[in-house]
């Protein structure tokens, strides 16, 4: 099974900061990597697909990059509504989520 | 508008069975794969399993943690996907989400999610 490891597990930041979250796969997954945002009590929301595609309706401050085993999610200028938990997910073989990164004020 | 609505959750004793349903609308149901994803209280997301579109044979895959206990099926005529959960364990306590899978050049993306249904396994 493919394991997904996110870092950091938690992150404190301020409004206006640039933030980067990393996701590493235990083997190459090409670009079959997606990012989701989850707020308390809500279902996750798709942000980024195929490593770098921005889902329709997602603000342009969100971007993704990477291929193979190493991927990043970047938020260019944090807004108050961005404080949430972020998950990466691979679909190269089965489906696996990372453990999540909690972004706190 | 794409909508996914889960139902069937509740309190159930260990060892018993429960069937969750996910009713879909707003898209051509038979053309899409669907996955179930769960989230234990205070924990992260865990993929449970998927069922492919009918034109791919409607085949299924399951996570190792539920294989041989959970079965996913679909009824394209009703637009419903099911999760049959057998031999339930306390560790299966979670909110269960139904998700639509959108294919993108080999990648499969969970682009729409239901609101989730809570399954609590306890004696």
């Amino acid at each position: 099974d493919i394991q997904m490891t996110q870092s950091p597990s938690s992150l404190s930041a301020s409004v206006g900061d640039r933030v980067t979250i990393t996701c590493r796969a235990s083997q190459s997954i090409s670009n079959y990597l997606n990012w989701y945002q989850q707020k308390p009590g809500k279902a996750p929301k798709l942000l980024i697909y195929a490593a770098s595609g921005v889902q329709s309706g997602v603000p342009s401050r969100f971007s993704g990059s990477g291929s193979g085993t190493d991927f990043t999610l970047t938020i260019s200028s944090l807004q108050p509504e961005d404080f949430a938990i972020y998950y990466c997910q691979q679909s190269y073989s089965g489906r696996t989520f990372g453990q999540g990164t909690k972004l706190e004020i | 508008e794409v909508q996914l609505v889960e139902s069937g959750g509740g309190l159930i004793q260990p060892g018993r069975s429960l069937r969750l349903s996910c009713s879909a609308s707003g898209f051509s149901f038979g053309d899409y794969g669907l996955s179930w994803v769960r989230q234990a209280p205070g924990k992260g997301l865990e993929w449970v399993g998927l069922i492919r579109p009918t034109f791919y044979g409607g085949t299924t895959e399951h996570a190792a943690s539920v294989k041989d206990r959970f079965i996913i099926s679909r009824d394209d005529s009703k637009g419903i996907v099911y999760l049959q959960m057998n031999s339930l364990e306390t560790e299966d306590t979670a909110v269960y989400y139904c998700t639509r899978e959108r294919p993108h050049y080999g990648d499969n993306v969970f682009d729409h999610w239901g609101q989730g249904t809570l399954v609590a396994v306890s004696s």
Side-chain angles (χ1 to χ4, degrees):
Chain A
D1 291 1
I2 297 176
Q3 309 301 317
M4 306 300 294
T5 303
Q6 290 181 231
S7 61
S9 296
S10 64
L11 176 60
S12 295
S14 301
V15 173
D17 284 354
R18 179 184 179 90
V19 167
T20 297
I21 298 169
T22 297
C23 180
R24 175 165 288 176
S26 59
Q27 67 182 74
S28 178
I29 58 171
S30 184
N31 69 332
Y32 299 171
L33 190 284
N34 311 302
W35 290 96
Y36 302 86
Q37 176 194 67
Q38 187 179 33
K39 295 183 178 179
K42 300 293 187 181
K45 171 188 171 184
L46 173 65
L47 298 175
I48 302 289
Y49 61 91
S52 60
V54 181
Q55 173 69 355
S56 175
V58 172
S60 59
R61 62 182 179 272
F62 289 92
S63 63
S65 65
S67 67
T69 60
D70 294 314
F71 302 87
T72 59
L73 171 70
T74 299
I75 310 172
S76 60
S77 179
L78 274 173
Q79 298 302 300
E81 61 268 28
D82 300 337
F83 292 95
I85 300 177
Y86 293 84
Y87 295 93
C88 63
Q89 172 253 326
Q90 67 83 21
S91 68
Y92 185 84
S93 176
R95 313 285 185 262
T96 317
F97 288 94
Q99 81 278 16
T101 295
K102 186 173 185 179
L103 181 52
E104 300 176 294
I105 300 174
Chain B
E1 180 192 3
V2 173
Q3 285 197 318
L4 299 166
V5 179
E6 302 93 339
S7 60
L11 176 63
I12 187 96
Q13 293 177 327
R16 301 291 294 269
S17 298
L18 193 65
R19 188 178 79 165
L20 305 183
S21 301
C22 172
S23 296
S25 60
F27 64 100
S28 182
F29 183 80
D31 291 343
Y32 286 86
L34 299 115
S35 267
W36 287 93
V37 174
R38 69 182 180 182
Q39 187 168 37
K43 302 297 184 182
L45 301 172
E46 179 188 14
W47 174 72
V48 172
L50 66 88
I51 186 163
R52 293 185 177 85
T54 301
F55 57 79
Y56 279 128
T59 54
T60 60
E61 286 186 36
H62 296 80
S65 59
V66 304
K67 197 175 180 181
D68 300 330
R69 295 191 301 124
F70 288 13
I71 300 168
I72 299 174
S73 61
R74 64 189 296 159
D75 185 336
D76 288 357
S77 68
K78 295 181 179 178
I80 299 176
V81 60
Y82 301 98
L83 178 64
Q84 177 68 42
M85 304 185 292
N86 301 320
S87 302
L88 280 162
E89 305 168 353
T90 55
E91 293 76 19
D92 296 318
T93 293
V95 173
Y96 285 73
Y97 294 102
C98 170
T99 73
R100 188 183 81 164
E101 293 207 351
R102 184 184 77 205
H104 180 83
Y105 298 102
D107 188 19
N108 285 280
V109 184
F110 302 142
D111 68 340
H112 288 276
W113 296 65
Q115 83 288 352
T117 187
L118 176 62
V119 174
V121 184
S122 174
S123 55

